Amino acid sequence: TTTERTFIAVKPDGVQRGLVGEVISRFERRGYKLVGLKLLVPSKALVEQHYGDLKGRPFFNGLVDYMSNGKAPVVGMVWQGKDVIRQGRKLLGATNPLDSEPGTLRADYCTAVGRNCFHGSDSHEAATTEISLWFGEKAVFDWKQALEPWIAS
Ligand code: DAT
Ligand code: MG
């Protein structure tokens, strides 16, 4: 059994586009286990912390506003399973959808880097920080997936 976890989010544009089910579906069919799920309008402070490493970039203020202005919510998820951090990023595709491989979510649904619909943690360190920022330990629920021995022995 593997305890690796990642934070995946459908951003407001992805929620408006009706892509929440599609994301859940792709992670589920790969065999990953959903251990956290919430719908929220994040505060500006939460988004600023989440994207702290991008502070000072020209698109930063616009990014924070679009994530937190409440025109649509964000759906946050925590997924668990073997190599889920790296594989999650692969399922999403490259940051700029124009560089994303066909078959990835961003290539299948997006064309603009500023409207790339999805987020995924990019390292173990980021995953830990982002899960505690968006969820906290109590909101993440580990459960026994009956199929696990058939998916990842
Ligand atoms: P990722 O979301 O793939 O981890 P990142 O951490 O480099 O990419 O950037 C975070 C988000 O910021 C990204 O999903 C969309 C936005 N962003 C990045 N570069 C941008 C740019 N050049 N113009 C507009 N938005 C950008
Ligand atoms: Mg990132």
Side-chain angles (χ1 to χ4, degrees):
T1 142
T2 166
T3 55
E4 182 172 323
R5 288 175 173 173
T6 193
F7 173 68
I8 298 293
V10 183
K11 301 185 202 178
D13 48 336
V15 175
Q16 283 286 0
R17 300 275 306 276
L19 298 174
V20 176
E22 181 74 13
V23 174
I24 292 176
S25 189
R26 290 192 187 200
F27 279 77
E28 277 187 334
R29 74 185 187 191
R30 187 77 188 275
Y32 289 125
K33 177 166 68 172
L34 185 62
V35 296
L37 180 66
K38 76 199 297 190
L39 178 90
L40 75 164
V41 173
S43 68
K44 231 180 123 186
L46 193 163
V47 177
E48 281 172 352
Q49 235 183 302
H50 173 79
Y51 283 130
D53 55 328
L54 299 173
K55 205 163 188 155
R57 302 288 288 274
F59 56 85
F60 184 75
N61 290 342
L63 174 64
V64 171
D65 178 66
Y66 122 85
M67 289 288 288
S68 64
N69 67 20
K71 289 180 183 169
V74 171
V75 172
M77 307 169 188
V78 182
W79 288 93
Q80 182 170 324
K82 201 176 272 186
D83 201 30
V84 70
I85 298 169
R86 194 164 60 100
Q87 299 304 321
R89 296 275 299 184
K90 281 197 190 185
L91 290 172
L92 299 189
T95 302
N96 184 338
L98 301 182
D99 298 326
S100 297
E101 294 299 325
T104 63
L105 282 156
R106 283 165 172 167
D108 287 354
Y109 295 105
C110 312
T111 56
V113 67
R115 293 292 181 270
N116 63 4
C117 290
F118 316 105
H119 169 81
S121 307
D122 66 3
S123 65
H124 284 81
E125 195 192 1
T128 304
T129 307
E130 291 171 4
I131 289 166
S132 76
L133 183 64
W134 288 82
F135 280 85
E137 262 317 301
K138 275 186 216 142
V140 179
F141 180 77
D142 198 6
W143 51 283
K144 180 139 186 61
Q145 189 181 27
L147 275 175
E148 188 179 332
W150 301 92
I151 295 166
S153 63

